[in-house]
Amino acid sequence: NFETSAPTARHEILFDPQTSGGLLVAVPAEQTDQILTELHGVGLTDAAAVGTVRKAENGIRLRVH
């Protein structure tokens, strides 16, 4: 489930078949800054935190920033 505040374009890019699954990675929130620093350090400068995942009443909810 997506929260409605995120633009539709952000929803669509998360499921774009052209990415072959390499677009989205889930990591513990407290490790986000360190992981992004490491990714940027090896040249993946477009790497960014795009949302959060949390437990919801009927499963999980992805909140896209």
Side-chain angles (χ1 to χ4, degrees):
N1 293 332
F2 286 101
E3 295 199 7
T4 58
S5 61
T8 301
R10 288 216 182 221
H11 296 188
E12 291 172 354
I13 197 167
L14 291 174
F15 299 102
D16 184 349
Q18 298 175 75
T19 65
S20 299
L23 180 63
L24 185 63
V25 176
V27 299
E30 62 273 6
Q31 294 178 10
T32 302
D33 290 338
Q34 176 186 350
I35 290 169
L36 285 174
T37 297
E38 291 178 20
L39 289 171
H40 293 164
V42 296
L44 299 172
T45 56
D46 289 333
V50 298
T52 56
V53 177
R54 64 180 171 87
K55 187 174 181 177
E57 286 183 24
N58 56 349
I60 62 170
R61 178 171 294 242
L62 174 62
R63 180 172 184 220
V64 180
H65 298 288

